[in-house]
Amino acid sequence: MKADHVDTIIAQWALQRPELDCSPMGVIGRLGRAKQIITPKLDEVFKQNGLSNIEFDILASLRRAGKPVTPTDLYQTLMLSSGAMSTRVDGLVKQGLVIRQASKTDRRSCLVTLTEEGKSLIDKAIEQHVENERQILAVLSEEEQVKLAGLLRKWLAANE
């Protein structure tokens, strides 16, 4: 198997500090490098659809929910501050992709829902997104992808 950037770093540490077990760098370093490589590839699909990554996430969250949701539900799901969420939703309203509706049960709250244009856009974008992810992972077999997903699920379940 071909060496990667992380192998070089670990080898350098082995020369400088042979008594130090740097094997955790093999996992953590590769996760970091993977994020650096994957993020621009994901962003390109969002950009092709006229969206930022957070706008994509908001629209996808609304589409997955299948019903109107509160801004609070959105910012908790996406781990944003309420102010940041409000600004993003405002932008999506201006683009005609979502609408805010007054809550029937709480006058202080509202519900956010996709417009038909927003639904159409996210449906197109999610198809492109999934195909992009499929291409990113194509170097791994289906079995390897299942194993990797399982290992990452195990780690996340213990750390989230």
Side-chain angles (χ1 to χ4, degrees):
M1 184 181 307
K2 182 180 167 188
D4 65 10
H5 181 73
V6 176
D7 286 325
T8 302
I9 291 169
I10 292 170
Q12 289 170 334
W13 277 118
L15 289 173
Q16 299 304 315
R17 295 285 311 274
E19 78 289 356
L20 182 62
D21 176 12
C22 292
S23 61
M25 289 181 184
V27 175
I28 304 300
R30 286 183 177 95
L31 286 172
R33 289 283 296 150
K35 183 179 187 312
Q36 290 174 338
I37 292 167
I38 292 168
T39 297
K41 292 179 180 188
L42 298 180
D43 287 346
E44 183 57 35
V45 169
F46 306 149
K47 184 178 175 182
Q48 289 170 8
N49 287 280
L51 299 169
S52 68
N53 64 340
I54 193 62
E55 290 170 331
F56 174 88
D57 285 346
I58 292 169
L59 296 177
S61 294
L62 289 168
R63 185 67 170 108
R64 286 192 317 269
K67 62 180 182 176
V69 299
T70 67
T72 300
D73 291 335
L74 280 174
Y75 80 70
Q76 289 175 341
T77 298
L78 299 173
M79 297 180 287
L80 289 174
S81 70
S82 63
M85 180 57 66
S86 182
T87 300
R88 299 300 182 162
V89 170
D90 286 346
L92 293 169
V93 168
K94 287 178 186 169
Q95 293 177 61
L97 300 175
V98 302
I99 57 172
R100 280 193 173 105
Q101 302 167 307
S103 172
K104 294 176 183 175
T105 58
D106 183 353
R107 292 186 322 169
R108 298 168 297 162
S109 185
C110 70
L111 295 171
V112 180
T113 189
L114 289 169
T115 62
E116 283 303 315
E117 184 181 350
K119 184 178 177 186
S120 176
L121 176 60
I122 194 59
D123 281 349
K124 180 182 91 166
I126 194 67
E127 289 174 16
Q128 293 171 352
H129 177 65
V130 170
E131 181 54 34
N132 188 30
E133 289 181 326
R134 191 177 326 286
Q135 290 174 14
I136 290 167
L137 294 172
V139 68
L140 302 174
S141 70
E142 267 188 58
E143 182 180 327
E144 289 170 328
Q145 290 178 40
V146 168
K147 284 181 184 177
L148 180 57
L151 292 169
L152 291 170
R153 178 185 303 110
K154 180 179 179 178
W155 185 89
L156 284 169
N159 287 281
E160 284 185 318

